[in-house]
Amino acid sequence: MRIVVTTSLRPTPIQVSRASEMATWFGATFVPRGGRSLAQLLQDADAVVVAADPAVIHVRGVEHPLFFHPSMAHQRLKRLEQGESDRLIALAEIGPGDAVVDATIGLGTDALVFAAAVGPEGRMVGIERSPVLYGLLRAVQAYGSEAHPREARLLQRVHLIHGDHLDWLRSQPDQSVDVVYFDPMFREPVRESTHMRPIRPVAWEASLAREALEEAKRVARRAVIVKERPKSGVFEALGLEPDRTTGRFAYGVWRRPG
């Protein structure tokens, strides 16, 4: 995928500086806007990143742009602040000071909730193979988000890694984190909101490999959790017990014996 990073049509010096810096995170080329339209830029690139709060990404052939949005994490974080429980946090038995790895962080929806649950004294690692999604999260960490300041601050607690989660897991000691979490792209997409639709074309769509699950079991002290559709067959194939058999999604859980 060829990615270019640019600015608005009438950029400020700050936007130019940011766009130039962001190009490295996206593995992209910085291209001055020079009065060109997005359509013109997309003739020679698969994706165009525009420096704006902090980045808006236009993908060739995709109607809606991609930008940082916490999605359901916004409401989940509000409920946690009010002392209510969260389904995933309760299932993972996560608390302050824990170490969690989100091995397929995507746009960070679940990682934000994990980061809130482990607190500033905890450890939160997020791994993303897609250069577009990694670059966007890295930009939010660096520059924040005027639209979502609370979520941007939480994202700063996450140690972001651009790469393959299997390679990272192989390099880790036995039982070195509490929980490893996977949320790969669903094999059968559910109905998606407008701001989520642009993710699929730029995401890493490979299914979760058995070897990655086994490595996660070795690395996790407490549990490995996989998110998928309950009727997808993934849980049965991986030997995981889903927390639900109906609904839009379920969590398959492996817990360390004893």
Side-chain angles (χ1 to χ4, degrees), residues 26-202:
F26 284 91
T29 303
F30 169 62
V31 176
R33 188 66 176 264
R36 286 171 290 183
S37 69
L38 289 170
Q40 289 173 318
L41 289 168
L42 284 168
Q43 289 177 356
D44 300 316
D46 299 298
V48 175
V49 181
V50 179
D53 193 32
V56 177
I57 303 160
H58 302 266
V59 180
R60 183 189 295 173
V62 178
E63 179 183 1
H64 301 283
L66 175 64
F67 52 89
F68 177 67
H69 193 288
S71 187
M72 288 303 297
H74 182 76
Q75 293 300 323
R76 292 168 64 191
L77 289 168
K78 285 182 66 175
R79 289 196 291 267
L80 283 178
E81 289 173 353
Q82 294 166 357
E84 300 177 29
S85 64
D86 179 87
R87 175 182 167 193
L88 177 56
I89 298 304
L91 193 66
E93 300 177 353
I94 293 298
D98 283 343
V100 178
V101 176
D102 186 336
T104 51
I105 192 172
L107 271 185
T109 300
D110 291 312
L112 293 172
V113 182
F114 280 130
V118 302
E121 64 270 42
R123 178 184 173 217
M124 184 67 221
V125 175
I127 307 170
E128 180 51 54
R129 186 159 182 169
S130 163
V132 172
L133 298 179
Y134 170 82
L136 178 55
L137 293 182
R138 184 68 186 86
V140 173
Q141 283 188 328
Y143 305 127
S145 169
E146 292 181 11
H148 307 288
R150 174 183 61 176
E151 288 79 8
R153 287 192 296 270
L154 278 173
L155 189 60
Q156 290 180 338
R157 294 183 186 172
V158 181
H159 176 56
L160 280 177
I161 297 172
H162 180 215
D164 186 297
H165 56 247
L166 178 55
D167 291 340
W168 186 86
L169 288 166
R170 284 172 176 158
S171 70
Q172 301 305 299
D174 293 354
Q175 299 186 45
S176 52
V177 302
D178 293 294
V179 174
V180 178
Y181 175 68
F182 296 97
D183 179 12
M185 295 296 288
F186 288 172
R187 298 298 87 206
E188 300 177 25
V190 296
R191 186 180 65 177
E192 295 168 326
S193 60
T194 299
H195 68 267
M196 295 295 288
R197 288 175 197 154
I199 294 178
R200 188 169 288 274
V202 300

Side-chain angles (χ1 to χ4, degrees), residues 72 76 79 86-92 109-111 113-114 180-184 186 224-232 234-235 240-255:
M72 288 303 297
R76 292 168 64 191
R79 289 196 291 267
D86 179 87
R87 175 182 167 193
L88 177 56
I89 298 304
L91 193 66
T109 300
D110 291 312
V113 182
F114 280 130
V180 178
Y181 175 68
F182 296 97
D183 179 12
F186 288 172
V224 178
I225 299 178
V226 178
K227 182 180 180 181
E228 248 293 354
R229 296 187 69 177
K231 303 298 184 182
S232 66
V234 170
F235 297 132
L240 299 174
E241 186 69 31
D243 71 326
R244 294 181 181 178
T245 56
T246 59
R248 294 178 65 246
F249 65 87
Y251 297 114
V253 184
W254 172 87
R255 297 191 190 280

